[in-house]
Amino acid sequence: MSQSETGTIFYGPIVNPKSLSSFQTLPRCLVAVGPSGEIDWIEEDVPKRALQDILAQHRSLDVPLLTLKHGEFLLPGFVDTHTHAPQVPNIGSGQQYELLDWLHEVTFPMEARFGDVDFARRAYSLIVKRIIDSGTTTCCYYGTLHLEATTILAEIVNGYGQRAFVGKCNMDRNSPEHYVEPSVSESIDATLCLISRIRSLPQPRLVEPVLTPRFAISCTSDLMYQLGDIARADPSLRIQTHMSENLGEVRKTLDLFPTASSYADVYDKHGLLGQRTILAHAIHLEQDEVVLVKERGAGVSHCPASNFNLRSGVCPVGKLLDHGIKVGLGSDVSGGFSPSILTAIQQASIASKVLAMQAPIASSGPTRYAGHHLPLATLLHLATLGGAQVCGLENRIGSFAPGKAFDALLVSVRGDAANPGLWGVDLVKELHAEPADKEQLDTWLERFLFTGDDRNIKRVYVQGRWIGGAEHDPCGPGRSSLVTDVVQSMLYDM
């Protein structure tokens, strides 16, 4: 009987997010993953001497057992709630610009290249692989305005086995002549076509379509009203867009929509602000906008690396959390300079400390997060369970529990991971005892979040399938032969 027919049982240290303020560290945990990729059962504390008895109780003695090494642990996969796949080739470019100039000088020229479907196929194959290997198990992708290229992106994501939302940008004004949709009807027709194509992808399909009005500046009112109509007619569709990223962007938006009371009100009037909406940035919200976003149940994608890099501002995440708004993290490549959510975690910590230094609030004050640095539990939550909540997937992913999908990272903080920024725990004699205790596991987690990178992510699992990571063989299970062939052929062609 093959492993895919029997599932896998993992034994060793587990880190499990529970809330904004807490997570579990379980040094001797058993997690049973069934053939479907769902978690069948969890035993939180199993001494080695009791291992066989517990497996026998669950009638699992014949199921393959993977025992983690000292310095390894399992963590729920990262959720990237906002990134631009066609901007990955631009990472590290255009750092001298702010948002609106950056779009016209750097971003739109690169995105326009994806009108070439051969280029799109070559580029997206490498881009998606890089994002997966960085530990992102669920990703909200913006494509370009091109239907064919965005279809290719969805096909490649599906071929790799990543969980994702993929959207074609809607943009029918305020864009270069060579990179703008010619009419509302063509934009809507292409959007509906993409939705149909994504829903027709081969099973098992973890990719979903998402409505993607780029931002209010690039969309006419007619286009946004029609996208709002599509959203109302199909309650399964998510919506992703940008809001209040840059002060100049905010001013221009209000000039274009003079009857709106705020940027958030623009989306609300067009039926695009609701529980299924993912708002990237949300840095410069007025108080009435914070209240409106909360009332509508929309979520915010916090993109701190991009916010710093493009000098857009520092998002008051603590204030949003205190108001009960759902918040996740976004890499926002290539405004952000890394495809890794680890970088977003580190930058989110810095952003919260900047705000705390500028306007500290006493610990006894009425707020819980505003004016304070974000603690480790909160940062972990934003990267996992918080991102799942923003995507409406908190019942499927973001933490380990029976019935949830096994979307996970096998993390190594050992010296043989060869990351010079992370001191290997196996090199410290006094930490070499087996098994690790809770205090040691807390230390491993913090070191990984603040000094780790893709070299420390040995394996990436989505729906129980091993699809990437530093240890992964690209010809092994989890990759379609089509994607493998494309990746292999492109290594010398790009």
Side-chain angles (χ1 to χ4, degrees), residues 293-330:
V293 169
K294 170 59 180 176
E295 287 179 348
R296 297 293 184 262
V300 169
S301 177
H302 178 36
C303 306
S306 175
N307 296 344
F308 281 132
N309 197 38
L310 297 179
R311 305 189 301 285
S312 297
V314 184
C315 180
V317 168
K319 177 181 178 180
L320 301 181
L321 295 177
D322 283 337
H323 278 79
I325 292 173
K326 301 174 293 189
V327 181
L329 293 179

Side-chain angles (χ1 to χ4, degrees), residues 16 31 33 42 59 77-78 113 133 137 144 172 192 196 204 272 278 288 290 311 313 324 342 395 420 440 445 484:
N16 195 20
V31 179
V33 181
I42 297 176
R59 299 180 180 179
F78 293 140
R113 293 189 61 186
D133 289 344
T137 53
T144 59
D172 67 335
L192 294 173
S196 176
L272 295 172
I278 303 169
D288 61 337
V290 174
R311 305 189 301 285
L342 284 172
N395 294 324
Q440 290 170 358
L445 174 65
T484 299

Side-chain angles (χ1 to χ4, degrees), residues 163-465:
R163 195 182 305 276
F165 297 92
V166 176
K168 184 203 75 64
C169 281
N170 300 104
M171 40 193 295
D172 67 335
R173 67 168 172 179
N174 290 324
S175 302
E177 290 184 5
H178 65 280
Y179 190 58
V180 65
E181 294 180 295
S183 68
V184 171
S185 62
E186 291 186 51
S187 180
I188 294 297
D189 288 347
T191 296
L192 294 173
C193 184
L194 179 69
I195 292 170
S196 176
R197 289 181 180 182
I198 289 178
R199 289 176 172 168
S200 299
L201 288 172
Q203 298 294 333
R205 176 177 61 82
L206 299 177
V207 181
E208 295 293 338
V210 55
L211 298 177
T212 310
R214 187 177 198 119
F215 62 163
I217 290 174
S218 67
C219 297
T220 59
S221 189
D222 187 14
L223 176 56
M224 286 199 288
Y225 274 126
Q226 292 198 38
L227 290 172
D229 290 341
I230 294 172
R232 277 188 292 272
D234 188 343
S236 68
L237 280 171
R238 274 73 167 180
I239 303 161
Q240 60 180 1
T241 191
H242 300 78
M243 187 174 76
S244 298
E245 178 178 358
N246 172 281
L247 288 174
E249 169 215 5
V250 174
R251 289 191 294 269
K252 187 167 183 177
T253 299
L254 296 180
D255 287 343
L256 290 170
F257 298 92
T259 62
S261 61
S262 67
Y263 201 150
D265 187 47
V266 172
Y267 292 133
D268 195 43
K269 287 182 182 300
H270 291 88
L272 295 172
L273 190 66
Q275 291 186 349
R276 295 170 283 142
T277 305
I278 303 169
L279 300 167
H281 303 288
I283 300 171
H284 305 288
L285 300 186
E286 300 293 338
Q287 181 59 30
D288 61 337
E289 292 181 287
V290 174
V291 172
L292 180 60
V293 169
K294 170 59 180 176
E295 287 179 348
R296 297 293 184 262
V300 169
S301 177
H302 178 36
C303 306
S306 175
N307 296 344
F308 281 132
N309 197 38
L310 297 179
R311 305 189 301 285
S312 297
V314 184
C315 180
V317 168
K319 177 181 178 180
L320 301 181
L321 295 177
D322 283 337
H323 278 79
I325 292 173
K326 301 174 293 189
V327 181
L329 293 179
S331 63
D332 193 28
V333 172
S334 66
F337 45 78
S338 168
S340 176
I341 290 297
L342 284 172
T343 301
I345 291 169
Q346 295 152 18
Q347 296 288 313
S349 176
I350 293 172
S352 69
K353 291 173 181 176
V354 168
L355 290 176
M357 289 187 291
Q358 291 177 339
I361 296 176
S363 298
S364 59
T367 67
R368 186 172 184 182
Y369 295 103
H372 307 292
H373 75 275
L374 296 178
L376 192 67
T378 306
L379 294 168
L380 176 63
H381 177 89
L382 296 181
T384 54
L385 192 54
Q389 292 168 350
V390 169
C391 295
L393 294 175
E394 65 271 24
N395 294 324
R396 295 290 301 141
I397 62 168
S399 63
F400 298 130
K404 280 194 166 186
F406 186 72
D407 287 16
L409 309 179
L410 198 166
V411 175
S412 171
V413 290
R414 295 166 55 86
D416 55 17
N419 175 2
L422 198 162
W423 182 260
V425 299
D426 52 318
L427 300 178
V428 182
K429 185 175 181 180
E430 52 267 40
L431 293 185
H432 199 64
E434 295 277 4
D437 58 27
K438 290 178 178 290
E439 183 179 353
Q440 290 170 358
L441 188 48
D442 286 343
T443 298
W444 296 357
L445 174 65
E446 185 173 18
R447 290 185 183 188
F448 170 63
L449 295 184
F450 284 94
T451 65
D453 61 29
D454 60 313
R455 287 168 292 190
N456 300 104
I457 300 172
K458 291 186 66 175
R459 298 186 183 184
V460 177
Y461 292 91
V462 174
Q463 198 67 36
R465 297 171 65 203

Side-chain angles (χ1 to χ4, degrees), residues 90 93-94 97 101-111 334:
N90 272 346
S93 303
Y97 296 109
D101 290 336
W102 173 80
L103 286 171
H104 285 272
E105 298 297 329
V106 178
T107 299
F108 290 157
M110 173 55 71
E111 290 192 12
S334 66

Side-chain angles (χ1 to χ4, degrees), residues 18-41:
K18 303 300 287 185
S19 70
L20 278 164
S21 59
S22 67
F23 60 90
Q24 291 178 300
T25 48
L26 306 171
R28 303 182 298 186
C29 187
L30 273 176
V31 179
V33 181
S36 66
E38 311 277 318
I39 298 173
D40 286 342
W41 51 266

Side-chain angles (χ1 to χ4, degrees), residues 139-156:
C139 194
C140 296
Y141 287 109
Y142 283 59
T144 59
L145 58 74
H146 309 106
L147 171 61
E148 297 305 325
T150 309
T151 301
I152 289 168
L153 172 60
E155 291 171 346
I156 288 171

